[in-house]
Amino acid sequence: MSSISIKSPADIDGMRVAGRLGAEVLDYITPFVKPGVTTGELDRLCHEYMVNVQGSIPAPLNYCPPGYTPYPKAICTSVNDVICHGIPGDKVLKNGDVVNLDITVIKDGYHGDNSRMFFVGEPSILARRLSEVTYECMWLGIAKVKPGIHLGDIGHVIQQHAEKSGYSVVREFCGHGIGKVFHEEPQVLHYGKPGTLEKLEAGMIFTIEPMINAGRRDIREMGDGWTIKTKDRSLSAQWEHTILVTETGFEVLTMSAGTPPPPAIVAQQLQAVPA
Ligand code: MF3
Ligand code: CO
Ligand code: CO
């Protein structure tokens, strides 16, 4: 029994716009991610850009899933050992930090959800490799997407690549269906077995957003009710795109002028598939 919605052509058009706007917020904020800036300043800049330039709404602000307190800011800023949902504030970014900025905009009722990793000044060799492997994990998952594959195929390829690189996959948070609702079915696990879970059909839209830890996969929750860190204080990385299942494969909806290209590891597979 699957309750994954199939989007209408009008929904898909709305999701293309929201996705592009979400990506353009990341393009806009990129030059501001430098030593000395606070995460709160990055939030303020993104919030103003969304509201005043794009006419979009920051989906995280006051977002309140069951069991949570309302999220207090417009974006998530997850620094170093923060896995996800870091709340922007007074924290000053310094040379060598790595930060994930996760942006979700709402435009005309549709959600566009995406995140990228940023290096503050010069990253360590570990931080660079963890971010690169995590980017490859996301893209290996994206490259699988087409009608008839199973969600477990996506989770499997991500888990394989992370673990063979010596890293671990966070289990408690996953990708998700998205549309007029921020988080809807299905759950898109970043680990799993080929041929298991729901079968994909054209018109489904979901995110792929692996969280990969340099150390163990265990998490701990901070007292603010949102921030999630690695239990062993190892670095964590995440990348996220919103993906449409098309008749022949996939379309990345969170695309903009500044979107990084697919990594070499999937480039060959992608050329074999008609766009
Ligand atoms: N953007 C996150 C995701 O990828 C969700 C953030 S919820 C928030 O699903 F409330 F923390 F913003
Ligand atoms: Co998401
Ligand atoms: Co997100």
Side-chain angles (χ1 to χ4, degrees), residues 102 113-115 138 176 207-209 238-242 254:
D102 193 335
D113 186 8
N114 68 163
S115 79
M138 175 185 70
H176 50 92
T207 71
I208 299 180
E209 50 179 301
Q238 179 177 29
W239 289 82
E240 176 177 26
H241 269 312
T242 299
T254 35

Side-chain angles (χ1 to χ4, degrees), residues 60 63 71 76 85 102 104 113 176 182-183 209 226 238 240:
Y63 184 60
Y71 188 79
C76 297
H85 303 165
D102 193 335
T104 311
D113 186 8
H176 50 92
F182 193 169
H183 294 102
E209 50 179 301
W226 281 98
Q238 179 177 29
E240 176 177 26

